[in-house]
C-alpha cells in the first residue's frame, strides 16, 4: 500500500483531491454544475501535475455516490471506476451527504451533539436530504433518516419528529469525500458499493408494447 488516495465528487460542481496518509496534497474544484464530463478529466490530470506524481501511485479511489442528479453523478462515478481499473486501485463509494455532514461537524464544533439536516437541490421543487447525528467514537456521522427526496416542507416536518436540528446546504467536495472514506476504513465501515443514488425513477421509459404512434391512415 502506497497510502495515496484519489477522491472524486461530481454531485454539485466537479471536485477532485489527491491525499497521502491523511494529508491533502492537491485539490481542484470547478463550481460549474453543468460540464462535469468536460472538467473531470482535467481536474484529475491537474492534481497529479501539481505534485508531479504519476497516477499509478494511487491504491485507493473514493467516489461520491450522491444523492444527486443523474447526469453529473454518473460522470464522477464512471471516472472513478475507470481510473481505479487503469491503475489497479481499490474503489470505494461514499454517500455525498454523509461527507457534507462530516465537514459540517468538523468545522462547526458548536453543532456537535445536535442533529443535522443536510439538504441539496433536487430541482422540480424538491430537495435531497439526510438527517444525521454527530459522529461517535469512530468519527463517522450517524444517519438517522434518509437519504431521500421530497418537498422541503415535508422533509422538515418529518425531520422534526427526531427532535431539534440544524439545517445545512451546500455541495460535497472531494476533500471531505476522502475524509469520510478514511474514517470509514479505520472503523471497518467502508463500502465497495459505487451505485449511484438517484432516488428517482428515470424520466425516460421504454414505450409500451405495440404502442401506435402517429395517426392511422385508412387504406
Amino acid at each position: 500500500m502506497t497510502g495515496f488516495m484519489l477522491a472524486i465528487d461530481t454531485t454539485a460542481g466537479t471536485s477532485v483531491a489527491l491525499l497521502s496518509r491523511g494529508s491533502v496534497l492537491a485539490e481542484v474544484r470547478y463550481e460549474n454544475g453543468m460540464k462535469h464530463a468536460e472538467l473531470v478529466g482535467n481536474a484529475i490530470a491537474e492534481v497529479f501535475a501539481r505534485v508531479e506524481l504519476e497516477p499509478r501511485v494511487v491504491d485507493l479511489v473514493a467516489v461520491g455516490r450522491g444523492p444527486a442528479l443523474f447526469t453529473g453523478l454518473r460522470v464522477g462515478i464512471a471516472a472513478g471506476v475507470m481510473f481505479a481499473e487503469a491503475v489497479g486501485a481499490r474503489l470505494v463509494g461514499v454517500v455525498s451527504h454523509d461527507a457534507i455532514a462530516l465537514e459540517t461537524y468538523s468545522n462547526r464544533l458548536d453543532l456537535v451533539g445536535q442533529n443535522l439536516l443536510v439538504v441539496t437541490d433536487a430541482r422540480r421543487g424538491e430537495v435531497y436530504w439526510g438527517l444525521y447525528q454527530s459522529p461517535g467514537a469512530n468519527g463517522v456521522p450517524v444517519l438517522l433518516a434518509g437519504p431521500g427526496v421530497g418537498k422541503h416542507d415535508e422533509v422538515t416536518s418529518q425531520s422534526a419528529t427526531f427532535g431539534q436540528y440544524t439545517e445545512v446546504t451546500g455541495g460535497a467536495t472531494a476533500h471531505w469525500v476522502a475524509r469520510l472514506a478514511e474514517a470509514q476504513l479505520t472503523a471497518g465501515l467502508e463500502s465497495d458499493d459505487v451505485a449511484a443514488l438517484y432516488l428517482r425513477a428515470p424520466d425516460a421509459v421504454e414505450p409500451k408494447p405495440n404502442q401506435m404512434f402517429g395517426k392511422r391512415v385508412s387504406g
Side-chain angles (χ1 to χ4, degrees):
M1 297 287 287
T2 63
F4 287 92
M5 179 196 304
L6 183 74
I8 302 171
D9 190 276
T10 55
T11 54
T14 298
S15 180
V16 175
L18 180 65
L19 293 83
S20 176
R21 305 188 186 282
S23 298
V24 178
L25 303 180
E27 183 176 16
V28 175
R29 300 181 190 177
Y30 295 112
E31 300 299 328
N32 190 309
M34 299 296 292
K35 295 184 177 181
H36 305 284
E38 294 90 337
L39 297 174
V40 69
N42 292 337
I44 292 172
E46 187 172 342
V47 294
F48 288 103
R50 287 185 182 182
V51 293
E52 299 181 341
L53 289 172
E54 295 295 326
R56 63 175 177 269
V57 302
V58 172
D59 51 35
L60 181 70
V61 177
V63 295
R65 299 176 51 209
L69 301 173
F70 177 81
T71 303
L73 181 55
R74 64 177 180 173
V75 168
I77 294 174
V81 169
M82 290 187 291
F83 185 95
E85 290 182 351
V87 302
R90 182 181 178 186
L91 180 67
V92 297
V94 305
V95 177
S96 301
H97 278 192
D98 293 4
I100 297 172
L102 178 62
E103 177 182 10
T104 303
Y105 280 125
S106 298
N107 293 333
R108 290 282 310 276
L109 297 182
D110 59 305
L111 296 180
V112 173
Q114 302 181 34
N115 291 346
L116 197 67
L117 177 64
V118 176
V119 297
T120 55
D121 184 17
R123 299 184 184 171
R124 306 183 193 174
E126 294 181 323
V127 294
Y128 296 115
W129 65 277
L131 183 67
Y132 296 88
Q133 193 176 62
S134 56
N138 60 15
V140 178
V142 178
L143 182 66
L144 297 176
V149 60
K151 300 292 185 183
H152 185 266
D153 290 347
E154 297 172 355
V155 170
T156 55
S157 177
Q158 179 178 346
S159 299
T161 63
F162 289 85
Q164 293 185 334
Y165 62 84
T166 297
E167 181 177 329
V168 297
T169 60
T173 66
H175 177 171
W176 287 97
V177 164
R179 295 296 189 199
L180 177 61
E182 289 175 334
Q184 291 175 335
L185 284 160
T186 300
L189 298 174
E190 75 276 11
S191 173
D192 296 327
D193 186 359
V194 294
L197 292 173
Y198 299 128
L199 303 184
R200 281 194 185 124
D203 292 330
V205 296
E206 294 183 5
K208 296 179 180 179
N210 303 318
Q211 185 171 349
M212 299 294 295
F213 294 94
K215 296 181 179 180
R216 181 183 296 275
V217 179
S218 59

